[in-house]
Every structure is written in C-alpha cells, then in structure tokens.
C-alpha cells in the first residue's frame, strides 16, 4: 500500500444558507480544495452524504456533484453511513489512493439540511437509528443520546455540569474559528438553563442543523512531495467498525464499541497509541457523545470522560485539546460533511494555519466520526511530515 | 405508514415474538437469521416475558410530529426478566417519577396513528409494575 497525503482542503460557508443548494455547497468546498492542492487532475471523486433523498429529494448525489464541480467523466461515488458518511468516504478515498487505483482523489462531504422544517429534519435524522424498533416507539436522536447520558451518570457519577462543560469549551473554541456556525460564548449555566429537549439533555447540549460542505484532495506521498513545498499532512492510519444498530442491543450502553474498534485499528496502522495524539476532533453531536468518545479513544479511562473534561484536559490549552474547531456543537453539523471537515481541521492544525486557535504542539492529530448512536464509527490519524 | 409495513411486524409488536438461538440459547428481539454470538442459524420462536426493570430513561420534550401531543413523555430501555432489552415508551406514570431500576411491565397499547384514514399503529409500552 502506498503512503497517502492530504494535499488540499476546502470548506463552503456553514450555516442556514437559503441561497445555497446541495450542488453549490459541494462545488464551493471542492473547488477550494482542488485549488489549494495544486493537483494536475482529479482521477476519482467520493462524496459523503447522509440523506439527499429526504433532505432535498435528491439521490444520485455522486454524479450531480461531479457534474457541478466540473469533473465530468470521473468515477463519482456517494458514500452513506449516516453522520459518519464523510469520515467513511475519507477512508475509502485513502484506500483508493493507497491501492494504486487512483492518484488524485477528491473526497467531499455535503448536507443541505434546512430545505426541511425542524420536524422534517428531525425525522430525516431519526432514520439513522433502528427505524422499526427505536424511532417507531418515539425515540429521537437527542432521546437516544439522553439514554446514554443517564446511564453514564448512573454508572460513573458523571454530572449534569460536566456535560455542559463540553458545550461551553467547544463554543470557546468556535469563537476562534471564522468558519463556525455559532460563534458565541456559552456558559455552563446557559447550557443547563436552555430548553429541555430530552432530559437530561437541553438545547445547548445538541449540535445544530447546518447546511455545509467540506472537501479534501488526496495524493500518494511520492507525488505530493513533488507538488507541495513545506510539511505534508500524511495519513498515518484509518480504522472503521460497525456495532449493533439499536442502542438497547449493546452490551454496555455507556460504551462506543464501534469507536473503540475503529480507534484500535487506526492506532495499529499508524503505529501510535493514545498518548502520541497531540489533539483530536471528535464527534460531539451531543455533549455526552464527546465524553464517551474520549473514553473510547483511550484518552482517559472508561467512565472518566466527565472528570477529564472538568479538569480542563480537553480545553485548547489543556494536555489533550479536543475539538479545536469548535466541534459539531459550535462549528455546525451538516451530517454528511462533518467527517471531512474534521480532516480539514486536522490539516490546518498540522500546517500551522489554524489562526487564533493554532496549537503550539500539533504533529499528530486524530479524527473520530460516528453514525447514529455509534452503529458505525471511523477514526483517522494524520501526522505532519517534514519541516 | 403503509399497512404492509405495520402488518409484517405484528408478531413482534402484538405478541412479543423473539428468536432463541438453538445452539447458544441467546434470545434476540427482534428475531434474526444468524446468531452474532455463536454463528448459529437455527432459532426457536418464543414469547418474551412482560416483566422487567428500567435500565435508563429520558423524558422527551421535543417530539416528532406524530408523537407531539404526548410530549413530554418517558422513553427508556427496559431489561426484561430474561435479560432481553427493548426501547419503549413508559406511560401511566408522571415523568418526574421515573427512576433507573424501577420495576415495569409491558402492555399492549396504541403507539400512534397516521393521518385521518391511515392505519393505527399498535405495539408495546411499559407501565409501572
């Protein structure tokens, strides 16, 4: 397998963008990434998109976005794994370059969510759960994560305040990210006083509904080194796993087993362990998700995610900065784009181009993306090569 | 929801029919064709017990449209006396009285209906035992 580098990154604007369509959003991010990469051509395109069908009455998204990105003729493949669609597309792209099948691969992710009302979007998202046995009973996504939160609180003594601290911390980071959808200071009290969605989760525990796209260009390291001067963002490892779809069927509902497995595979491929990771973007679709994710990734012991957060380890200036971009919580969560946007943040940090939120130590970064209540997860590890 | 979609789940929703792996005896609800634990492919049909306890719960305030008039409602994961778990609404109890570990019983209830002439969707809900 050939070593692979990320040579270009791009984001569209993120937010409630009534003037932008699915195809426009994708093309904006993709054209930026292609320009940034300096790639002489694109051999293949992958696009993560959870539900063009429900959100925009538009399937066949691969061909559509290839057409509007000016990439007529390329093999264009849409990848779906609910909110992990983007991260899974990224892993597929890495494997495609590593295998030698393609040299320059564009991996994008897109979701145009505000074409539906809030209720319509809630319904579309609920199809990432077990529809016949969870959504049928009246379960929403916040409700399923609330079940995990309550179980975590009962089992480990995680507190309501610790959940809120995740949101407050990620909004602090988002304030420093010009691309974030919700650039606003949010206090622990604000989170706890916000309207109840599914107890114990309140509105400010939840990531928002977002229109947006993200894209990266991949190339084999040997070609990338000829194209680009300066340090390279090299893909060190990728891992992916699936778990029981319905939360009730998991052995331990406080654990994200698919994320644990994905992480083990990525660590093994990269030859790294949790202590080697300088910073990470994790899938904080709800505050409890970040707590469970940092445990699954081995940054702290099982059950200690709340305490680890409270002690400040995950803050921008902490020992293990988590979600320097603002995370899904503040940056926004266009579901199909999220996994790719996490890679964009890793690359910007590794390049030293993350502006006000730039970390002093950013040589190895990790991205964790998950679908549903972690029925699927993908973990990618990137490292900075050269000076 | 189209009638056939509701109709084909009747064995599970009306009668709580589960599958028990003949090899390792593990019980699955809903039934499966292959045991993820031991790889067995032969299953016996069995009906779940209705008594259990609340493992974890939430109170849903922001509900999907078809459940909006029920909100706020309790939703939880119930572990039945034979260890099978299912996601279920908890009714006939004030949401603030819900507690992890409380004993519950499954009952046959209406879940929701679809429009004016649509099918009425039935299934199981949990009530305090």
């Amino acid at each position: 397998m050939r070593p692979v580098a990320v040579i270009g990154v791009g984001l569209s604007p993120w937010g409630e963008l009534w003037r932008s369509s699915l195809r426009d959003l994708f093309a904006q991010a993709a054209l930026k990434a292609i320009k940034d990469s300096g790639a002489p051509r694109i051999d293949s395109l992958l696009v993560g998109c959870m539900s063009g069908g429900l959100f925009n009455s538009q399937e066949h998204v691969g061909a559509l976005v290839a057409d509007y990105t000016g990439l007529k003729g390329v093999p264009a493949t849409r990848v779906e794994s609910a909110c992990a669609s983007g991260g899974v597309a990224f892993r597929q792209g890495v494997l495609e370059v590593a295998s030698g099948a393609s040299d320059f691969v564009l991996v994008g992710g897109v979701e145009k969510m505000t074409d539906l009302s809030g209720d319509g979007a809630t319904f579309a998202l609920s199809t990432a759960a077990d529809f016949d046995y969870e959504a049928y009973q009246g379960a929403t996504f916040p409700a399923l994560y609330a079940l995990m939160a309550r179980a975590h609180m009962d089992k480990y003594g995680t507190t309501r305040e610790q959940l809120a601290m995740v949101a407050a911390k990620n909004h602090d980071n988002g304030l420093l990210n010009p691309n974030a959808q919700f650039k606003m200071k949010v206090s622990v009290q604000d989170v706890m006083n916000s309207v109840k969605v599914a107890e114990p989760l309140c509105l400010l525990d939840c990531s928002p509904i977002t229109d947006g796209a993200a894209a990266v260009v991949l190339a084999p390291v040997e070609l990338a080194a000829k194209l680009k001067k300066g340090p390279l963002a090299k893909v060190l490892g990728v891992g992916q796993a699936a778990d029981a779809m319905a939360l009730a069927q998991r052995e331990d509902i406080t654990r994200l087993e698919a994320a644990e497995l994905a992480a083990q595979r990525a660590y093994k491929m990269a030859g790294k362990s949790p202590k080697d990771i300088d910073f990470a973007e994790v899938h904080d679709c709800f505050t409890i998700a970040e707590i469970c994710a940092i445990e699954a990734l081995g940054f702290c012991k099982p059950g200690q995610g709340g305490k680890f957060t409270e002690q400040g380890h995950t803050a921008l200036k902490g020992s293990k900065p988590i979600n320097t971009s603002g995370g899904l919580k503040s940056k926004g969560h266009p579901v199909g784009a999220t996994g790719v946007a996490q890679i964009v943040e890793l690359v910007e940090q590794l390049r030293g181009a993350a502006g006000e939120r730039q970390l002093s130590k950013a040589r190895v970064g990790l991205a964790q993306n998950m679908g549903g209540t972690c029925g699927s997860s993908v973990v990618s590890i990137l490292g900075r090569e050269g000076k | 929801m189209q009638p056939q979609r509701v109709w084909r789940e009747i064995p599970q929703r009306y009668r709580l029919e589960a599958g028990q792996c003949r090899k390792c005896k593990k019980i699955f609800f809903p039934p499966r064709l292959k045991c993820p634990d031991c790889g067995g492919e032969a299953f016996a049909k069995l009906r779940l017990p209705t008594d259990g306890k609340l493992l974890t719960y939430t109170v849903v305030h922001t509900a999907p449209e078809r459940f909006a008039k029920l909100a706020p409602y309790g939703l939880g994961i119930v572990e039945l006396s034979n260890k099978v778990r299912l996601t279920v609404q908890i009714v006939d109890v004030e949401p603030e009285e819900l507690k992890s570990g409380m004993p519950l019983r499954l009952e046959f209830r209406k879940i929701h209906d679809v429009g004016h002439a649509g099918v009425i969707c039935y299934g199981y809900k949990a009530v305090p035992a």
Side-chain angles (χ1 to χ4, degrees):
Chain A
M1 299 241 283
R2 302 190 292 178
V4 180
V6 181
I7 61 169
V9 296
L11 289 176
S12 74
W14 282 28
E16 188 171 354
L17 307 171
W18 291 359
R19 287 177 183 275
S20 300
S21 65
L22 183 76
R23 68 189 79 183
D24 296 340
L25 289 169
F26 184 90
Q28 287 180 61
L31 294 174
K32 271 190 207 164
I34 294 169
K35 193 169 178 199
D36 181 44
S37 75
R41 61 177 194 279
I42 295 296
D43 299 322
S44 177
L45 176 157
L46 291 140
V47 52
C49 180
M50 174 181 159
S51 196
L54 286 174
F55 284 116
N56 322 103
S57 316
Q58 180 68 63
E59 304 291 10
H60 208 175
V61 173
L64 176 79
V65 301
D67 183 7
Y68 280 82
T69 309
L71 295 172
K72 205 173 128 186
V74 301
T77 310
R78 179 234 184 129
V79 177
E80 190 276 314
S81 194
C83 313
S85 300
V88 172
F90 177 75
R91 175 174 173 272
Q92 290 303 315
V94 169
L95 298 179
E96 185 168 337
V97 176
S99 73
S102 301
D103 285 335
F104 298 102
V105 173
L106 176 75
V107 179
V110 63
E111 213 75 52
K112 169 69 198 170
M113 301 172 76
T114 66
D115 279 354
L116 291 180
S117 65
D119 198 67
T122 303
F123 174 81
L125 292 169
S126 76
T127 63
D130 182 330
F131 194 83
D132 281 338
Y133 288 88
E134 292 181 320
Y136 180 87
Q137 299 291 342
T140 58
F141 257 97
L144 292 169
Y145 275 92
L147 296 177
M148 294 163 81
R150 177 89 56 192
H152 207 279
M153 293 162 99
D154 285 346
K155 187 171 177 184
Y156 296 113
T158 301
T159 64
R160 185 48 275 226
E161 286 80 0
Q162 288 168 345
L163 297 177
M165 285 168 191
V166 172
K169 184 262 298 175
N170 288 350
H171 274 282
D172 282 347
N173 293 350
L175 273 172
L176 305 176
N177 184 352
N179 296 312
Q181 180 180 9
F182 286 104
K183 280 188 284 289
M184 59 192 206
K185 179 105 184 139
V186 164
S187 72
V188 168
Q189 260 333 303
D190 291 337
V191 180
M192 290 169 57
N193 293 339
S194 62
V195 64
K196 290 173 184 167
V197 174
E199 294 177 46
L201 301 181
C202 302
L203 185 68
L204 291 175
D205 286 290
C206 309
S207 56
I209 301 275
T210 311
D211 300 329
V216 300
V217 176
L218 303 175
V221 165
E222 52 183 288
L223 294 181
K226 284 180 203 156
L227 269 178
K228 307 283 279 191
K229 287 194 169 51
L232 267 185
K234 190 178 159 190
V235 181
L236 305 178
V238 286
Q240 186 185 334
D243 194 1
M245 185 79 169
L247 195 55
Q249 301 205 8
R250 311 258 176 85
E251 202 88 10
D252 180 348
I253 43 185
T254 64
R255 265 176 68 195
L256 306 178
E257 223 178 309
E260 289 173 21
L261 278 171
Q264 284 163 21
R265 288 166 188 161
Y267 284 136
K268 191 175 171 203
M269 184 172 166
K272 301 279 180 200
S273 72
K275 66 172 171 18
D276 301 320
I277 304 299
D278 295 329
F279 67 104
E281 289 287 299
V282 310
H283 196 96
D284 60 322
C285 48
F286 299 94
T287 48
I288 182 64
E290 177 166 319
I291 287 175
C292 295
I294 58 179
E295 294 172 10
L297 296 168
F299 297 153
C300 60
K301 291 202 177 87
Q304 298 302 301
K307 203 173 275 173
F308 195 71
T309 304
E310 185 171 6
Q311 289 165 345
H313 293 295
T314 60
L316 200 60
K317 300 223 180 309
S319 60
K320 194 73 85 179
I322 303 291
N323 284 326
T324 57
S325 68
L328 285 52
K329 182 69 200 73
S330 163
K331 188 180 58 178
H333 185 26
V335 285
T338 283
V340 181
Q342 291 179 323
I343 303 295
V344 173
E345 177 69 9
L346 296 193
V347 172
E348 291 192 334
Q349 288 284 355
L350 295 171
R351 285 176 175 176
E356 281 188 90
R357 62 188 194 286
Q358 180 63 47
L359 300 167
S360 51
K361 189 178 177 222
R363 292 199 65 86
V364 180
L366 177 151
Q368 179 265 339
N369 185 204
M370 61 185 163
T373 49
C374 205
S376 64
S377 188
V378 55
V379 170
S380 304
I381 301 172
L382 271 62
R384 176 186 159 112
E385 293 257 307
K387 294 216 167 98
Chain B
M1 216 177 273
Q2 290 300 101
Q4 71 275 19
R5 185 159 190 189
V6 179
W7 167 79
R8 69 172 173 255
E9 300 296 329
I10 281 177
Q12 279 69 54
R13 300 225 170 103
Y14 288 29
R15 298 192 293 274
L16 292 171
E17 283 184 14
Q20 182 169 35
C21 176
R22 289 191 190 276
K23 220 159 110 192
C24 76
K25 305 293 177 208
K26 183 145 183 198
I27 301 167
F28 295 96
F29 182 84
R32 297 168 175 243
L33 296 176
K34 184 156 183 100
C35 176
D37 287 9
C38 77
E41 292 184 1
F43 290 86
K45 194 156 72 180
L46 127 137
R47 281 179 82 152
L48 294 178
T50 54
D51 60 311
K53 62 174 191 204
L54 185 57
L55 214 62
T56 177
Y57 67 95
T58 178
V59 179
V60 179
H61 291 265
T62 307
E65 198 177 354
R66 63 189 187 281
F67 293 104
K69 60 179 188 240
L70 299 178
Y73 56 87
L75 183 97
I77 295 179
V78 172
E79 184 171 281
L80 300 175
S81 54
N82 66 352
K83 301 290 174 197
V84 170
R85 294 171 182 179
L86 24 86
T87 303
V88 65
Q89 269 185 50
I90 310 141
V91 295
D92 294 358
V93 56
E94 293 301 322
E96 54 270 24
E97 285 165 21
L98 292 173
K99 258 182 81 171
S100 303
M102 71 189 282
L104 295 171
R105 188 180 69 245
L106 296 182
E107 282 194 352
F108 182 71
R109 294 286 177 107
K110 178 175 148 183
I111 305 291
H112 59 81
D113 47 28
V114 186
H116 296 297
V119 289
I120 299 174
C121 300
Y122 294 99
Y124 44 84
K125 288 187 183 181
V127 298

